[in-house]
Amino acid sequence: MVTSLFDYPESPQYAENRYIPKKLAEGDYLVTIDNGAWALLSEEEHELLKTHRVSENPDLFKKLESLGIIITQSNQAKVVGDYQARFSHICNGTSLHIAAITSRCNQRCLYCYVNPKPISSKGFDMDKDTAKRVVEFMFQSPSKAITIEFQGGEPLLNFPIIQYIIDYSKKLNKKYKKDIVYTLVTNLTLMQEDILKYLIRNRVGICTSLDGPKEVHDRNRRFLGGHGTHDEVVHWIQDIKTQFAYNVNALPVITKFSLPYAKEIVDEYVNLGFNRIRIKHMIYCGLAKENWNKIGYTPEQYLKFWKGALEYCFKINKSGRFFAEGTSLLITRKFLSRDYQAFTCLGWPCGAALTQTSYDPHGDIRSCDESRSFEEFKIGSVRKDSYRNVYTSPRVLNIVALTSGLNSLCDACVWHPYCNNCIVSSFGMEGNPVPKLPIDYECKIRGGLIEHVLRTLAYSKEKRKILMEWCSSKQGI
Ligand code: SF4
Ligand code: SF4
């Protein structure tokens, strides 16, 4: 009796998984499938796959079967398991909860993705009642692990609410027993010793922005009065690391002013004792959108910068010092592992309105932190909605569908297993969450980063080794 496709006598004993091919070089074809598995095939092998004749080459058959690019009776369960692992974030509930506890800021950085309010403004801080509702909303998520991230504006302008949220979430957690991680994203310029001691006592992770040496950082990141902030930031990074022996993470955002300084930006991180840098491009929203004429660049300019900085990181590693670049490390993990990699922006669906949620000072809920400058991405309010209502609403389901890339050009893209479109960036740039053809700014950058990492893995033995060391090291990201 015929029970499956594989039982037909004339069947090639396999079925092809859905795959996307791309010619990488003369005679070299890359083939990727949705769970992230990939293979480099010769012209001949690609022809056999295309014409359903893989059985004619037993070595190729074995290779494609082990990767799940062809499906046989013996690998079906493994292929299903790989998909479940890769897409586990779809079923786990929201784990990253970003509490934007104030919209005020003492700085006005040129690329800020929200529109910060001046420090003297009234009515832009989260109050206790809203904070209480935010925490109660967070605990409705079915996720066993939750990260509570404090954001602003500058969150230290509303430090009592940080304390309140930490206290109240700890109290509630006696009942819910979740694994909670606390993180503070701060510009560091309002840090004080007693605040720092509190953060250390409560194991709050600290992240800041350092855009490079003074001449770069101070052009991008200034106080409201116009003064650069580099000296204060470096002072606190050094103090936290040395005096308090506590960890602090930092990342640089790249503007047009940063482009000539790839080496100097990396050196700034090396000299401050960091073992990693995650270089970040600007997203087209908030003040970055307003200032684009002054600080913007083309995707090509950004990619040239990033490749130069990455090359320099490789050089540092070749000289014997461990120093990882975070974006390439993350993408490498996506290529080498079938597991879900917990980084919101490069997944599909990306995590907006799924694994990540942002709460503004008034308790309005946004699909992701970067979407805060657009009303269109408001998905509910902790004042009137339950978690269940928000996450089963048509608006949220639409957002998740849009960030899956299945209804845009991403669906036919060879990089889609490691990437997706960004609805916030497309909306900022084009007024439409679905990216238009031809490929847009964000797509060109994401695709360019991913292709560069794949080519490095495929064609440079020495750099592949370094990328793999970054992935396996505990010093990595
Ligand atoms: S919508 Fe864009 S910025 Fe927001 S999580 Fe998705 S990829 Fe990231
Ligand atoms: S955003 Fe661009 S590079 Fe990324 S999957 Fe979509 S089409 Fe491909």
Side-chain angles (χ1 to χ4, degrees):
M1 190 181 76
V2 170
T3 55
S4 82
L5 169 73
F6 306 112
D7 296 330
Y8 283 98
E10 70 280 16
S11 154
Q13 299 305 306
Y14 73 86
E16 283 120 21
N17 205 338
R18 190 183 100 103
Y19 70 89
I20 311 277
K22 178 183 170 69
K23 189 172 179 173
L24 271 193
E26 215 31 63
D28 268 356
Y29 286 82
L30 171 69
V31 169
T32 64
I33 59 172
D34 287 345
N35 71 13
W38 56 281
L40 270 188
L41 305 181
S42 66
E43 183 123 32
E44 209 175 67
E45 291 171 330
H46 180 234
E47 198 56 31
L48 289 176
L49 177 63
K50 241 170 56 180
T51 51
H52 317 288
R53 291 184 295 126
V54 172
S55 311
E56 291 175 23
N57 179 335
D59 287 343
L60 177 65
F61 189 98
K62 250 206 220 131
K63 174 169 151 181
L64 297 184
E65 185 185 38
S66 72
L67 291 165
I69 294 173
I70 59 170
I71 301 170
T72 64
Q73 257 174 348
S74 44
N75 76 353
Q76 283 179 83
K78 183 183 174 302
V79 173
V80 170
D82 283 351
Y83 275 82
Q84 281 173 334
R86 190 68 161 202
F87 294 98
S88 57
H89 64 302
I90 293 175
C91 313
N92 290 344
T94 310
S95 53
L96 176 57
H97 299 264
I98 297 176
I101 55 172
T102 179
S103 299
R104 295 184 301 133
C105 192
N106 60 334
Q107 295 187 192
R108 199 160 175 89
C109 305
L110 294 176
Y111 51 72
C112 183
Y113 59 77
V114 291
N115 290 312
K117 302 289 174 262
I119 197 163
S120 54
S121 317
K122 299 271 179 270
F124 293 103
D125 285 0
M126 190 178 283
D127 60 23
K128 241 186 200 175
D129 178 59
T130 308
K132 181 171 184 285
R133 290 169 192 257
V134 165
V135 174
E136 285 163 1
F137 189 90
M138 291 172 182
F139 274 87
Q140 292 173 47
S141 163
S143 178
K144 171 90 184 78
I146 60 170
T147 295
I148 301 178
E149 181 173 303
F150 300 104
Q151 280 263 13
E154 171 45 47
L156 289 186
L157 284 169
N158 197 7
F159 183 60
I161 287 296
I162 295 181
Q163 293 173 299
Y164 176 77
I165 289 179
I166 290 177
D167 287 350
Y168 188 51
S169 58
K170 283 185 176 171
K171 189 174 158 200
L172 278 193
N173 206 33
K174 288 192 179 126
K175 174 176 164 202
Y176 289 96
K177 304 204 183 316
K178 291 185 188 280
D179 302 325
I180 308 183
V181 171
Y182 300 102
T183 317
L184 169 72
V185 178
T186 168
N187 64 32
L188 279 183
T189 59
L190 296 171
M191 188 56 81
Q192 295 168 13
E193 269 199 34
D194 52 340
I195 292 180
L196 185 55
K197 284 181 184 158
Y198 170 87
L199 297 173
I200 295 171
R201 244 187 351 264
N202 286 281
R203 296 166 170 260
V204 180
I206 303 174
C207 301
T208 193
S209 292
L210 175 68
D211 284 358
K214 194 171 171 59
E215 60 270 33
V216 183
H217 181 99
D218 283 352
R219 286 193 85 173
N220 293 338
R221 301 184 59 82
R222 296 192 198 169
F223 288 115
L224 281 169
H227 233 74
T229 59
H230 181 267
D231 295 348
E232 277 86 342
V233 176
V234 167
H235 160 79
W236 276 109
I237 288 175
Q238 286 171 329
D239 244 33
I240 296 169
K241 276 162 143 326
T242 52
Q243 288 243 104
F244 292 86
Y246 196 62
N247 190 41
V248 52
N249 288 317
L251 55 78
V253 175
I254 306 306
T255 67
K256 184 160 94 185
F257 305 136
S258 323
L259 296 178
Y261 296 98
K263 178 176 173 303
E264 290 79 2
I265 292 170
V266 172
D267 278 339
E268 178 83 357
Y269 276 70
V270 173
N271 295 337
L272 282 168
F274 287 104
N275 56 26
R276 63 195 187 194
I277 184 169
R278 183 161 72 76
I279 297 166
K280 211 174 161 216
H281 63 275
M282 286 181 292
I283 189 157
Y284 196 81
C285 54
L287 289 185
K289 183 175 172 181
E290 224 171 83
N291 292 322
W292 200 256
N293 283 342
K294 191 157 121 193
I295 60 173
Y297 35 61
T298 64
E300 292 76 14
Q301 287 171 321
Y302 177 76
L303 288 168
K304 186 169 170 226
F305 167 88
W306 177 78
K307 287 175 192 175
L310 179 61
E311 255 335 284
Y312 186 53
C313 293
F314 285 139
K315 197 169 154 201
I316 293 169
N317 284 267
K318 283 183 207 165
S319 73
R321 156 88 149 90
F322 179 98
F323 189 79
E325 196 287 311
T327 305
S328 56
L329 186 159
L330 176 84
I331 296 169
T332 302
R333 282 196 179 142
K334 283 177 159 276
F335 275 114
L336 300 185
S337 162
R338 299 289 70 81
D339 292 334
Y340 168 66
Q341 302 297 322
F343 177 74
T344 314
C345 285
L346 283 181
W348 70 276
C350 68
L354 184 67
T355 60
Q356 178 184 156
T357 282
S358 176
Y359 310 90
D360 78 8
H362 308 293
D364 285 344
I365 308 166
R366 309 287 160 146
S367 54
C368 69
D369 202 44
E370 285 80 355
S371 73
R372 268 196 281 148
S373 61
F374 300 117
E375 279 299 302
E376 287 77 1
F377 297 105
K378 183 178 154 184
I379 57 175
S381 163
V382 296
R383 300 199 157 274
K384 54 181 175 54
D385 297 312
S386 69
Y387 182 92
R388 193 182 177 84
N389 286 348
V390 171
Y391 283 90
T392 53
S393 69
R395 176 168 281 248
V396 159
L397 298 180
N398 276 334
I399 288 175
V400 175
L402 284 172
T403 67
S404 72
L406 294 173
N407 43 16
S408 73
L409 66 162
C410 301
D411 190 35
C413 173
V414 71
W415 308 122
H416 192 209
Y418 325 95
C419 185
N420 74 298
N421 56 307
C422 172
I423 52 173
V424 173
S425 173
S426 298
F427 193 80
M429 220 148 220
E430 300 154 14
N432 191 329
V434 181
K436 287 181 191 152
L437 286 168
I439 54 175
D440 67 2
Y441 162 83
E442 192 66 32
C443 163
K444 273 194 189 163
I445 290 186
R446 291 179 181 213
L449 298 170
I450 292 167
E451 176 159 0
H452 188 69
V453 172
L454 187 274
R455 285 183 183 275
T456 307
L457 286 170
Y459 295 125
S460 169
K461 214 169 153 187
E462 198 182 17
K463 292 174 197 166
R464 177 171 65 227
K465 194 167 160 258
I466 295 172
L467 284 173
M468 290 172 77
E469 276 165 12
W470 291 354
C471 286
S472 56
S473 170
K474 289 217 164 60
Q475 300 179 76
I477 296 168

